[in-house]
């Protein structure tokens, strides 16, 4: 029987599983609904939009939004090893120093 079960192998789930598994006495199970992150579209930055509405996307939409004339907003969420971080066109943004200082 596992000591920890982590659902979702996105960035946070993978880091949490790695940290918890540093304890040799702990048994950690990491569960991911999607496939491994082997698709070319994941590793070619210009192809990232091809992941939308594919087998690598949960294809969520918001509830109707009053501020958007009751329209729904498409919310791409990654369904693969790496989660939504694998759908980000290999882009990262460094936080502003003032935000952390605050």
């Amino acid at each position: 029987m596992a000591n920890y079960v982590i659902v979702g192998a996105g960035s946070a789930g993978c880091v949490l599983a790695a940290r918890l598994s540093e304890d040799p006495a702990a048994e950690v199970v990491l569960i991911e609904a999607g496939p491994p992150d082997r698709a070319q579209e994941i590793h070619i930055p210009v192809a990232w939009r091809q992941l939308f509405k594919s087998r690598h996307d949960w294809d969520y939409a918001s509830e109707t939004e009053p501020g958007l004339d009751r329209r729904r907003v498409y919310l791409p969420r990654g369904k693969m090893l790496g989660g939504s971080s694998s759908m980000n066109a290999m882009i990262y943004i460094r936080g502003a120093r003032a935000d952390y200082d605050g």
Side-chain angles (χ1 to χ4, degrees), residues 56-69:
H56 300 286
D57 182 10
W58 285 104
D59 195 16
Y60 290 147
S62 70
E63 295 297 319
T64 56
E65 299 290 340
L68 296 175
D69 198 23

Side-chain angles (χ1 to χ4, degrees), residues 28-64:
V28 180
V29 175
L30 177 60
I31 299 171
E32 171 56 48
D37 60 343
R38 293 190 189 116
Q40 285 186 326
E41 299 85 358
I42 297 170
H43 303 286
I44 300 172
V46 74
W48 68 284
R49 289 187 55 105
Q50 293 175 18
L51 296 167
F52 293 177
K53 300 185 183 282
S54 73
R55 72 184 188 111
H56 300 286
D57 182 10
W58 285 104
D59 195 16
Y60 290 147
S62 70
E63 295 297 319
T64 56

